[in-house]
Amino acid sequence: MSTVRGGWEPEISEEQLARLTRDMEQAHQDTLPAMRAAAVDLVEEQRGKAARRDAPADASRRRFLIGAGGLAAAFALAACSSSDDKKKTSASASTAAGGGSSPSASGSGTYTGDLKVVALATALENQAVGAYQATLDAAKAGKLGTVPPAVATFVQTAMKQHADHAKAWNAVLTGAGKPAITDVPLSNQPATLKALGAAKDVGAVAKLALQLEDQAAQTYLFATYNVASPAGIATAATIAPVEAMHAAILNFVLGQYPVPDDFLPADKAASPTLLTV
């Protein structure tokens, strides 16, 4: 991070940041059709599950569904087991979100199974939207010093992309007959708001935003091998690369090497136990 003329400036030029932001937006636009289609499929899957619970299936249908589920699980495991390290990461992430820890009673009653991960994803997207909006508000109020125009454009672009992702996830929840999540029902939200309020320049906000983006990207990776629904896996897989781009650009802005790992880890992935609704 550099300090110039008494204020913070990014470690890359505004021209470079503007170009990276344009590339990020192009990637987002390219993934939107696939993301929305996968979300529609996920709604249909959830409705299908509800219908099967209400109407008992015959033995042959049950055998087919079990076989299809096993094939999907095998495919997901094969795609995410290219190294011993990734297997260890998968095991630890599964433990973090598994039955050993109990979410809040209201959360467990409202969002269950794959929909709990959908609810978590929605809350994380809302959290990012709120953080970026708070950054813009603080900058407008003069609380962050001089904000380079390219930084403001990145913030606005990333915020809109997170809003698009939240809208897609909320459509899944409402399509499955569950309430939409319009706030940030996460136990770490008070700490996030406190950190935002304490930020004195854009550099401090960028560091916090990087933490949120890393968490989001890694949570989507976690979802690809912990969600049972093929459509849920597809939705998470289309969003994860865009979230990873957010994090990579923020690393560049902060003067840090953006890809320190051969594979995206999942040690910073959020657990569904963070949900407070």
Side-chain angles (χ1 to χ4, degrees):
M1 183 174 67
S2 60
T3 302
V4 180
R5 297 187 301 276
W8 177 90
E9 288 193 359
E11 290 289 347
I12 59 176
S13 69
E14 288 211 59
E15 181 181 352
Q16 289 173 313
L17 179 54
R19 183 172 64 252
L20 289 171
T21 301
R22 288 193 297 270
D23 291 344
M24 180 181 79
E25 176 62 12
Q26 184 60 57
H28 175 68
Q29 293 299 325
D30 289 344
T31 62
L32 276 180
M35 178 192 72
R36 288 168 176 161
V40 170
D41 290 344
L42 181 53
V43 171
E44 293 303 316
E45 285 184 9
Q46 294 301 317
R47 289 175 176 170
K49 288 179 180 179
R52 288 193 293 273
R53 284 194 299 268
D54 294 339
D58 57 37
S60 61
R61 182 174 177 82
R62 286 198 299 271
R63 283 197 298 270
F64 171 78
L65 291 173
I66 292 172
L71 179 60
F75 177 82
L77 287 173
C80 298
S81 302
S82 59
S83 70
D84 289 339
D85 287 342
K86 291 191 76 178
K87 290 178 182 177
K88 293 176 182 177
T89 299
S90 175
S92 61
S94 298
T95 301
S101 54
S102 57
S104 63
S106 59
S108 62
T110 303
Y111 307 106
T112 59
D114 287 352
L115 289 180
K116 186 181 294 185
V117 180
V118 173
L120 173 65
T122 311
L124 290 175
E125 297 293 356
N126 288 346
Q127 185 177 53
V129 170
Y132 282 124
Q133 184 60 62
T135 298
L136 293 174
D137 293 342
K140 186 177 181 180
K143 297 179 180 179
L144 300 177
T146 302
V147 179
V151 171
T153 299
F154 168 81
V155 170
Q156 292 167 341
T157 304
M159 182 174 69
K160 180 182 179 300
Q161 293 175 359
H162 282 294
D164 286 342
H165 296 161
K167 183 178 180 180
W169 287 124
N170 263 328
V172 173
L173 294 177
T174 57
K178 302 296 182 180
I181 294 178
T182 57
D183 53 359
V184 187
L186 298 172
S187 59
N188 67 355
Q189 178 64 355
T192 300
L193 292 176
K194 182 178 180 180
L196 279 168
K200 301 300 181 184
D201 57 36
V202 181
V205 174
K207 290 180 180 178
L208 176 60
L210 177 57
Q211 294 175 16
L212 297 180
E213 298 290 5
D214 278 338
Q215 178 177 252
Q218 293 185 30
T219 300
Y220 284 126
L221 174 63
F222 161 79
T224 61
Y225 49 83
N226 283 275
V227 168
S229 160
I233 294 170
T235 308
T238 58
I239 297 176
V242 177
E243 308 285 20
M245 286 186 73
H246 294 176
I249 293 173
L250 287 167
N251 271 300
F252 271 127
V253 166
L254 292 166
Q256 300 169 177
Y257 187 57
V259 190
D261 300 292
D262 292 334
F263 298 97
L264 184 67
D267 58 293
K268 298 176 183 175
S271 166
T273 58
L274 277 178
L275 282 170
T276 59
V277 296

